[in-house]
Amino acid sequence: MAQDTLLKGRVLSFTGSPFEAEPEDAVQVNEAVVLSGGRIAAVGGAQDLARAHPGAEVTDHGEKLILAGFVDAHVHYPQTAMIASWGKRLIDWLNSYTFPEEMKFAAPDYAAGIAARYLDLTAAHGTTTMCSFCTIHPESVDAFFAEAQSRGQRVVAGKTCMDRNAPEGLRDTVRTAYDQSKALLQKWHGVDRLSYAITPRFSPTSTPEQLEAMGALWAEHPDCLMQTHLSEQTDEIEWVRSLFPSARDYLDTYESFGLLGGRGLYGHAIHLEPRERDRLREVDAALIHCPTSNTFIGSGLFDMAGLMSRGHRIGLATDTGGGSSFSMLRTMAAAYEIGQLRGVPLHSAQLLWLATVGSARALRMDDAIGNVAAGMEADLVVLDLASTPAIAQRSERAQDLWEAVFPTIMMGDDRAVAEVWIGGRRVTG
Ligand code: GUN
Ligand code: ZN
């Protein structure tokens, strides 16, 4: 039996949603956390826990913040190597940069190499779970799940299905999309900490017949998540309108094929019609905010305050590599900046909640990850709130925790990540 671990520091847990209460009232700070057998055994006072777990290996992190590992609710791991590609908007960006890179994932060795690189980079940035699109190649899904499995990591992923408006070599068919998705689902879903998400890329790259087949597969496997993109750019919405002339709106191109549901994850969701908003709320689908992507590709300003006030389920994500960073800290900063442009600044507690509990709720995994509480899986990040001279000179004059953490949210990067724990095992630091 592996030895228990006792980490001392400022251990941050959420007791509620900081969007529903005063943000600071939704948070509890304890002195220590005990990890045992891959789970969090206890959270509480340092002396009490030390007494109750006399054999535990103790590390004192002092003033550092210990919180749940970050959960990135929408990424494309195959876009790791072409992140930060210059000067295009969505459709040109896909054709110029994304599709040529995704083509390379037909080669299992290439896919395995990028999967390992991506999981190294994200662990270094404190991200312990992500929900990833792969490419149309089953090999790209196998590579990602195999790598995550070897690291004991909780991840969600799926084969990205496209049967039109993509280059030769990056298109499947109605039949192969269904058959390959089903085979991958049966191979990986529920194995160790891995989950499969049915993944039609977005309606412009699927025929109605392929969307229908994806809807049928989801109906056969309703415990799976389904991930796609929705209303990211206005040009894209016009394109969807011309491709699906009888659809009521963009969401209807999913809804009418069985691709709207509570376990659905809709990336971006910026330019929503009232009907779309109402239907998404009615079924309690998850909207995934990808702020660095939305500014980088020039998509628009997500309505966090408006959607939260209507009770939407919202996760936060990098959208690597349309997003311009692997860091959920940088992603929180961008969410803050978009909030400012909309006139509603987000509190640090709300930003941290979105990057942990919020994204875990979006993935319907908040009973297992995203918070520091007894019984949860032991995925943790330890943040140094004085990781660079620029941050330290600001945080040292902080009057409270929130003033101490905000400079790290706004200016922090992987240097702020002192330690990362995945499934009770320390992976960096
Ligand atoms: N819409 C369809 N595919 C993609 C993608 O790969 N990235 C982003 N940002 N939007 C998309
Ligand atoms: Zn995306």
Side-chain angles (χ1 to χ4, degrees):
M1 218 10 227
Q3 194 181 8
D4 291 354
T5 301
L6 194 157
L7 304 178
K8 294 201 269 183
R10 292 193 274 184
V11 179
L12 187 147
S13 304
F14 287 98
T15 52
S17 166
F19 287 93
E20 288 168 8
E22 277 303 308
E24 299 171 20
D25 294 345
V27 173
Q28 202 172 65
V29 178
N30 283 290
E31 294 172 348
V33 55
V34 175
L35 315 183
S36 179
R39 290 191 180 265
I40 294 168
V43 185
Q47 282 191 355
D48 291 348
L49 292 187
R51 220 173 290 126
H53 301 268
E57 187 186 356
V58 180
T59 304
D60 189 347
H61 286 294
E63 293 295 293
K64 292 190 179 68
L65 195 64
I66 302 174
L67 69 161
F70 297 131
V71 180
D72 190 342
H74 179 121
V75 313
H76 301 253
Y77 96 82
Q79 296 173 16
T80 295
M82 47 69 67
I83 193 168
S85 293
W86 186 84
K88 308 279 188 192
R89 290 170 63 88
L90 180 60
I91 308 305
D92 286 345
W93 175 86
L94 284 171
N95 287 317
S96 306
Y97 299 123
T98 312
F99 290 160
E101 178 63 20
E102 291 193 6
M103 209 87 85
K104 299 178 187 168
F105 286 72
D109 287 353
Y110 189 78
I114 298 291
R117 183 191 302 179
Y118 172 78
L119 290 173
D120 284 347
L121 285 167
T122 46
H125 285 85
T127 300
T128 49
T129 286
M130 69 286 298
C131 182
S132 186
F133 288 66
C134 299
T135 66
I136 68 148
H137 314 97
E139 295 83 354
S140 73
V141 183
D142 286 334
F144 188 69
F145 277 136
E147 190 60 43
Q149 185 180 36
S150 76
R151 296 168 190 236
Q153 205 163 344
R154 180 169 286 288
V155 302
V156 186
K159 168 191 142 75
T160 297
C161 298
M162 301 196 273
D163 69 343
R164 65 168 165 174
N165 294 319
E168 179 67 35
L170 214 53
R171 289 193 305 270
D172 50 20
T173 66
V174 175
R175 186 84 244 162
T176 58
Y178 177 91
D179 289 348
Q180 292 174 345
S181 298
K182 189 178 175 104
L184 289 163
L185 185 164
Q186 287 170 338
K187 179 172 178 186
W188 294 109
H189 187 60
V191 175
D192 296 338
R193 301 181 75 196
L194 313 175
S195 300
Y196 193 83
I198 294 163
T199 308
R201 181 176 215 119
F202 67 155
S203 21
T205 47
S206 288
T207 57
E209 294 73 23
Q210 185 174 72
L211 293 173
E212 191 176 11
M214 293 290 101
L217 184 60
W218 198 17
E220 291 161 32
H221 300 277
D223 61 319
C224 281
L225 295 163
M226 188 288 302
Q227 60 178 344
T228 190
H229 297 86
L230 177 68
S231 295
E232 180 177 0
Q233 290 206 342
T234 50
D235 293 358
E236 171 205 12
I237 296 168
E238 284 308 311
W239 193 25
V240 169
R241 209 189 305 278
S242 70
L243 290 168
F244 297 85
S246 58
R248 288 172 288 182
D249 45 42
Y250 194 156
L251 186 66
D252 199 29
T253 65
Y254 298 127
E255 187 173 1
S256 57
F257 297 113
L259 292 170
L260 176 63
R263 296 183 78 82
L265 306 161
Y266 302 85
H268 305 290
I270 299 169
H271 310 282
L272 297 178
E273 302 288 340
R275 189 201 82 85
E276 296 178 299
R277 233 180 33 209
D278 293 349
R279 282 297 288 144
L280 288 160
R281 175 68 195 89
E282 237 166 62
V283 305
D284 198 17
L287 312 182
I288 311 300
H289 180 33
C290 307
T292 72
S293 171
N294 298 163
T295 52
F296 183 75
I297 317 187
S299 302
L301 306 178
F302 182 81
D303 182 15
M304 179 67 75
L307 293 162
M308 273 295 184
S309 72
R310 289 191 181 85
H312 283 270
R313 185 178 288 266
I314 300 176
L316 187 67
T318 59
D319 189 29
T320 296
S324 53
S325 175
F326 296 101
S327 169
M328 288 299 282
L329 291 171
R330 175 73 198 104
T331 302
M332 287 181 249
Y336 177 80
E337 289 161 350
I338 288 178
Q340 285 288 60
L341 288 169
R342 282 196 158 264
V344 189
L346 292 168
H347 190 282
S348 295
Q350 295 174 324
L351 293 165
L352 291 170
W353 183 89
L354 282 167
T356 54
V357 183
S359 284
R361 282 185 76 243
L363 302 182
R364 305 278 173 168
M365 292 179 172
D366 49 313
D367 57 343
I369 56 167
N371 209 352
V372 184
M376 303 284 280
E377 295 171 358
D379 295 346
L380 298 175
V381 60
V382 182
L383 291 181
D384 177 357
L385 302 185
S387 60
T388 68
I391 295 173
Q393 62 85 37
R394 178 64 187 88
S395 60
E396 75 185 8
R397 59 164 67 183
Q399 301 291 315
D400 61 23
L401 174 68
W402 302 114
E403 209 182 334
V405 76
F406 191 58
T408 289
I409 290 177
M410 292 310 299
M411 300 196 284
D413 53 28
D414 51 335
R415 289 169 292 180
V417 175
E419 262 185 16
V420 177
W421 293 77
I422 292 179
R425 278 198 315 212
R426 198 174 73 177
V427 295
T428 64

